[in-house]
Amino acid sequence: MAKLSDHPHVVAATGYARDVVAGKIPACRWVRLACQRHLDDLKRQKDKAFPYRFDPVKAEKACRFIELLPHTKGKWAGAGEKLKLQPWQAFKTAAIFGWVRKADGLRRFRKAVILEPRKNGKSAWAAGVGLYMLTADGEYGAEVFSGATTEKQAWEVFRPARLMAAKTPALQSHFGVTVTASNLHILGNGSRFEPLIGTPGDGASPSCAIVDEYHEHDTDNLVSTMETGMGARDQPLLLIITTAGSNVAGPCYQTVVEARRMLDGITDDPETFALMYGIDGPSGQPGDPAYQAGDDWTKPETLRKANPNFDVSVKGEWLLSQQRDAINNARKANAFRTKHLNEWVFAKEAYFNVAKWMASADPGLRMEDFAGMPCTVGLDLASKVDIAAAVFLFRRPQGGFAAFGRFYLPEKAIELEATGNYATWERAGHLIQTDGDMIDHGRILDDIVAASKVHTIESIGYDPAQATMLITAMQAEGLPVFEFRHTVLNMSEPMKEVEALIRAGKIAHDGDPCFAWQIGNVVAKEDAKENVYPRKERAENKIDAAVALIMAMGRQMVGEADAPSVYETRGILMV
């Protein structure tokens, strides 16, 4: 029987998980949950009904293999040193390769989602994983791909893997590996490891797909094609390694959201491993006993929390200098927070604090909860081939506001959208599809009329340049419509008010991802008179929901001015 001392990397991995959960090692919520999941499963494996067990021999084998590989750049490469797994790296390696199915001993995890800030050694580690999958995983005719959207990015993992193999004659001779300029292959069994741009051909059957910097992908074509091709493999591995990004509509952010829901226990996905480093954002509502403000990104201690290889592969002094630059230069702040703290910043120069917006989400909040209560509506109709947004804004009895959005898009626009997010949101009920090539304004009218029978709609703001016929129909229904032209003068003050309320956690919502995406796409710069106006960085970054929210807030701010005079409602009092 193997002794614990025979598996030092497993000991280090388990010790790391315990120290994180105990608070001895600073880590964000998602890392703590990943470590807790591992520890809980170690206990659960004794239960006959639990289908997985941890195999320390297989975990140790993968760790030791990686540590036989040489560094390929920097001072360690110059000194001829081999890779050395830090405890956190031993943890992710041991977890991915150590957990197996009790039924057949095959690997449990088919997908691994790894988020690490830049310079934490993810490419060198992933290169080691790729070489292991090529040579030592026991897969005959292994096909390992380093996939990305550009040739440069595809080589970020393949280049160090190729150099490692070239500098390790023992690896070549033992496994029969041939190193060429753009490919590693084993003639004896037809295995290969190569970079891939775009998607593999129909004949590809990946045993391992390493997807680098997934946040740069506009669609999930590469990942979905890889996963589809893995069907014939006994224990394939899809390894996604990335930093955070600014495209919340992209497939990477959706993958991150799914991984978070899995770690939170909301969904069950036992074949996905997720380890996502970063800092903690705010949670709960200000004033609530459970409210937590989140980490201050300007504090030095956040650097160590988000960067597990702090002062190993990434120098602490260098990170501190980058942090100082970001604090002193607003242009550099978002890039620093994205690349070195793994914060999703949505638009690169986002006007609204999306982390605060998401922290105010309450999935249990429903518009029906406000039956009979007064509200204002912002109606942004844009064009008939784009998103139309209606946002209902209620004042909450406990203070602040609650916002609910209804978003409409024609069937043709959903079909043609490249990322697939519109279709996903439509299926989940976050987008309302109207038939044909153009938005059916009659559907919007019907929905607002129906809402007016449940809620007290005090005013509806609209831009007269967009929908004369719809507004005429709304007036015929007796709905209180008011012009709200999209001018700087009209938009600036309610936009600032929305920004302040979001920052204070005073706008509750149900967490609609389509709403959050549009809030995060807003950019703005103050003019000489300190006015702001909502804009977007590129055409595909829709902001209609945010514009409608600003309009609804504008109607809230002028509500009293539009109200009838007290003398009209109660007459003259005699004294």
Side-chain angles (χ1 to χ4, degrees):
M1 183 175 178
K3 296 177 293 185
L4 196 61
S5 58
D6 293 335
H7 310 114
H9 294 92
V10 173
V11 172
T14 307
Y16 174 79
R18 286 174 176 159
D19 286 347
V20 165
V21 170
K24 296 178 181 179
I25 295 176
C28 71
R29 167 183 176 81
W30 310 114
V31 173
R32 293 195 301 271
L33 286 173
C35 290
Q36 187 65 64
R37 180 195 192 197
H38 178 73
L39 297 175
D40 289 345
D41 286 353
L42 286 175
K43 296 177 182 178
R44 294 175 66 197
Q45 68 178 328
K46 299 176 183 178
D47 184 346
K48 291 182 179 180
F50 188 63
Y52 309 105
R53 64 180 177 84
F54 185 76
D55 188 332
V57 174
K58 291 187 175 182
E60 191 68 27
K61 176 186 174 184
C63 292
R64 287 183 175 178
F65 178 94
I66 292 173
E67 289 198 337
L68 291 173
L69 301 171
H71 279 281
T72 60
K73 59 183 177 181
K75 64 180 183 180
W76 295 303
E81 294 185 24
K82 290 182 170 58
L83 299 180
K84 172 68 176 174
L85 293 178
Q86 298 299 308
W88 71 277
Q89 293 169 317
F91 169 69
K92 63 181 178 179
T93 308
I96 291 171
F97 290 97
W99 282 104
V100 298
R101 300 189 304 223
K102 289 178 180 177
D104 51 22
L106 295 176
R107 195 163 40 246
R108 167 188 179 179
F109 293 122
R110 300 170 67 92
K111 179 191 288 188
V113 181
I114 310 292
L115 262 72
E116 298 167 15
R118 292 187 66 189
K119 306 298 182 183
N120 279 270
K122 66 178 183 294
S123 296
W125 174 80
V129 170
L131 287 173
Y132 181 86
M133 294 294 291
L134 173 72
T135 60
D137 196 47
E139 187 73 42
Y140 192 89
E143 293 181 17
V144 181
F145 295 106
S146 171
T149 57
T150 65
E151 183 175 6
K152 179 180 181 296
Q153 198 62 57
W155 276 76
E156 285 298 309
V157 170
F158 179 74
R159 182 182 294 108
R162 179 184 173 277
L163 289 173
M164 287 173 184
K167 296 170 68 173
T168 312
L171 177 75
Q172 298 176 45
S173 61
H174 184 78
F175 293 104
V177 176
T178 299
V179 181
T180 69
S182 59
N183 168 283
L184 302 175
H185 62 267
I186 302 174
L187 288 175
N189 62 16
S191 297
R192 59 190 171 119
F193 183 0
E194 57 193 35
L196 176 71
I197 306 160
T199 57
D202 291 338
S205 179
S207 54
C208 178
I210 302 170
V211 181
D212 194 14
E213 297 300 6
Y214 192 31
H215 71 91
E216 295 181 356
H217 294 227
D218 291 328
T219 73
D220 68 346
N221 289 345
L222 187 147
V223 166
S224 62
T225 303
M226 293 282 193
E227 287 186 295
T228 301
M230 288 177 171
R233 299 290 185 173
D234 288 333
Q235 51 176 13
L237 176 63
L238 172 62
L239 176 60
I240 294 173
I241 55 171
T242 187
T243 58
S246 60
N247 183 12
V248 71
C252 184
Y253 184 74
Q254 300 308 312
T255 297
V256 168
V257 170
E258 290 167 6
R260 288 175 176 176
R261 289 170 60 83
M262 179 270 293
L263 289 173
D264 257 334
I266 298 172
T267 59
D268 184 29
D269 189 358
E271 294 185 349
T272 294
F273 174 78
L275 187 64
M276 301 182 289
Y277 287 90
I279 61 176
D280 287 311
S283 62
Q285 295 288 332
D288 291 347
Y291 174 73
Q292 294 182 341
D295 295 322
D296 183 346
W297 71 270
T298 65
K299 300 297 184 184
E301 54 266 28
T302 63
L303 298 174
R304 190 176 293 274
K305 186 174 186 178
N307 292 270
N309 245 21
F310 188 91
D311 261 346
V312 180
S313 65
V314 56
K315 292 297 181 185
E317 290 182 5
W318 181 81
L319 279 175
L320 285 166
S321 70
Q322 296 295 302
Q323 186 181 52
R324 284 193 296 270
D325 285 349
I327 293 170
N328 295 328
N329 189 335
R331 284 191 307 106
K332 297 182 178 181
N334 277 352
F336 171 80
R337 295 171 70 174
T338 303
K339 301 304 179 188
H340 298 297
L341 297 178
N342 257 357
E343 282 193 278
W344 287 86
V345 297
F346 296 61
K348 293 178 181 176
E349 301 289 340
Y351 180 76
F352 296 119
N353 187 322
V354 185
K356 292 291 182 69
W357 171 266
M358 294 305 296
S360 298
D362 179 359
L365 198 65
R366 296 289 181 269
M367 192 164 155
E368 304 86 74
D369 299 338
F370 295 83
M373 295 179 63
C375 70
T376 57
V377 181
L379 189 59
D380 184 42
L381 298 172
S383 70
K384 287 196 173 184
V385 294
D386 212 341
I387 291 178
V391 170
F392 298 77
L393 189 64
F394 297 84
R395 285 189 179 273
R396 305 184 77 188
Q398 64 267 49
F401 294 86
F404 301 91
R406 290 182 179 171
F407 312 120
Y408 304 82
L409 202 60
E411 179 182 14
K412 194 68 175 180
I414 293 176
E415 291 176 358
L416 295 177
E417 194 258 342
T419 67
N421 287 307
Y422 286 173
T424 299
W425 290 334
E426 189 274 329
R427 288 194 296 270
H430 302 304
L431 265 179
I432 298 170
Q433 176 181 291
T434 63
D435 295 336
D437 295 348
M438 297 188 300
I439 287 176
D440 179 6
H441 283 175
R443 171 63 190 274
I444 300 174
L445 174 64
D446 290 345
D447 285 353
I448 293 180
V449 169
S452 71
K453 299 182 184 303
V454 179
H455 311 282
T456 304
I457 298 180
E458 295 182 328
S459 69
I460 302 170
Y462 72 94
D463 184 346
Q466 295 172 345
T468 303
M469 291 182 62
L470 175 58
I471 299 307
T472 300
M474 293 174 74
Q475 289 173 328
E477 292 285 347
L479 295 169
V481 292
F482 295 85
E483 278 194 11
F484 196 106
R485 294 181 182 272
H486 290 179
T487 64
V488 172
L489 185 63
N490 283 338
M491 301 292 278
S492 183
E493 287 307 312
M495 183 171 173
K496 289 180 179 179
E497 183 69 11
V498 168
E499 190 276 332
L501 288 166
I502 289 175
R503 194 160 17 92
K506 294 296 185 180
I507 301 182
H509 54 92
D510 60 8
D512 183 332
C514 186
F515 205 160
W517 172 58
Q518 295 177 78
I519 289 289
N521 286 336
V522 175
V523 296
K525 292 184 178 179
E526 288 190 351
D527 62 19
K529 296 183 179 180
E530 298 185 344
N531 292 313
V532 291
Y533 188 85
R535 303 185 189 279
K536 52 193 176 187
E537 287 182 330
R538 49 186 188 265
E540 59 267 29
N541 285 7
K542 307 305 180 185
I543 61 172
D544 308 270
V547 170
L549 174 59
I550 293 168
M551 295 170 72
M553 182 59 68
R555 292 309 308 164
Q556 288 278 349
M557 294 171 71
V558 300
E560 291 186 7
D562 288 328
S565 165
V566 66
Y567 298 107
E568 297 178 51
T569 56
R570 66 162 167 79
I572 299 174
L573 294 179
M574 302 297 294
V575 179

